[in-house]
Amino acid sequence: MTRVSKLGQPRIGLIQFPGSNCDADCVDAFKRLFDIDIQLVWHEAHELPALDGVILPGGFSYGDYLRGGALASCSPIMGAVKTFAGKGGPIIGICNGFQVLTESQLLPGTLLKNASQTFICQYAYLKVAAGNSGYHQRLQGNLYKVPIAHGEGRFFVPADQLKALQDKGQILFQYADAEGNVNDSTSPNGAVANIAGIVSENGRILGMMPHPERASDALLGSNDGQPILEAFLATVL
């Protein structure tokens, strides 16, 4: 698979579902930080254009009716996204995009309503768990301040699947406090094992509830999302 276009830019596509509301934020962040023009792909398409990486953005696809991400997982374009993933194509799913990835079974687990049963919009601190994926190698050792904004962000897997995620090093981000401590009090939504983001077994697919694109400039309160987006680009190139 060719990883860059003739212009020397990675060809990044973003899937737009009815209700997506963070697509423009991603377009802005990639243009401003990396001078990359993201290609928008409507959910009714049956094929992807020639791409090197795919973004599933945050938002409220199909109004979050049924469950967040459930209806979007049945969109015509998701067949092509699954084919892309099957060939090792890099994908990042952010917030609602993470929900779409689990509903599509491209990542394990599910996202339940927050333990508080309320929508949460605040900054969270993310600690990188043990693992050997490219994301782990690039991000390990630092603490990231990235905002969350969700009502159904409580990641859950049964105990046997949680052990499998831990054994295979697929847990990428855990909610922590400002000092990097991870415990029950540092999870804003009650996620099992404080999980905020995971990667696929091959390390090519990342799903995370926090929004790195909203932490891409100090004026926004944090630019800690930039290295996370850079880590995604590193899987593309």
Side-chain angles (χ1 to χ4, degrees):
M1 181 183 296
T2 301
R3 293 298 182 197
V4 295
S5 69
K6 292 181 180 179
L7 297 177
Q9 283 192 341
R11 300 168 299 191
I12 308 298
L14 181 147
I15 310 301
Q16 284 185 304
F17 302 101
S20 294
N21 66 4
C22 296
D23 45 357
D25 295 334
C26 287
V27 169
D28 171 73
F30 277 82
K31 181 63 176 179
R32 179 165 37 80
L33 296 175
F34 314 117
D35 197 27
I36 291 175
D37 295 309
I38 287 179
Q39 301 180 50
L40 302 180
V41 182
W42 187 234
H43 71 113
E44 291 181 324
H46 289 265
E47 295 182 358
L48 291 173
L51 295 175
D52 303 306
V54 168
I55 300 170
L56 300 178
F60 299 89
S61 58
Y62 294 90
D64 273 0
Y65 291 112
L66 183 59
R67 296 184 305 277
L71 293 176
S73 70
C74 301
S75 287
I77 193 59
M78 288 308 296
V81 172
K82 291 178 180 177
T83 299
F84 181 78
K87 296 178 179 178
I91 300 173
I92 182 172
I94 301 168
C95 196
N96 189 218
F98 187 13
Q99 296 166 334
V100 176
L101 287 171
T102 59
E103 294 288 344
S104 302
Q105 299 185 358
L106 288 170
L107 287 176
T110 190
L111 280 308
L112 304 176
K113 286 187 178 298
N114 298 335
S116 64
Q117 300 293 305
T118 61
F119 188 90
I120 300 173
C121 182
Q122 64 182 56
Y123 274 102
Y125 288 95
L126 307 179
K127 185 175 183 178
V128 179
N132 295 314
S133 75
Y135 284 105
H136 290 88
Q137 293 172 11
R138 293 185 66 89
L139 299 172
Q140 190 65 257
N142 293 314
L143 197 62
Y144 301 92
K145 180 184 174 185
V146 181
I148 59 172
H150 56 245
E152 299 178 12
R154 178 163 58 103
F155 182 78
F156 175 79
V157 287
D160 59 331
Q161 292 184 31
L162 174 60
K163 185 177 186 307
L165 288 175
Q166 293 167 330
D167 291 345
K168 296 175 182 176
Q170 289 181 247
I171 299 172
L172 179 62
F173 293 122
Q174 290 178 289
Y175 296 110
D177 62 20
E179 283 72 46
N181 301 303
V182 176
N183 54 55
D184 290 345
S185 68
T186 63
S187 175
N189 55 27
V192 63
N194 283 43
I195 291 175
I198 62 173
V199 295
S200 56
E201 281 193 55
N202 66 2
R204 306 290 289 170
I205 303 174
L206 164 62
M208 60 185 295
M209 288 310 298
H211 287 265
E213 80 281 8
R214 295 187 186 177
S216 57
D217 192 298
L219 288 175
L220 299 175
S222 171
N223 55 14
D224 287 356
Q226 180 171 344
I228 298 172
L229 298 178
E230 288 176 342
F232 166 65
L233 289 178
T235 69
V236 172
L237 298 174

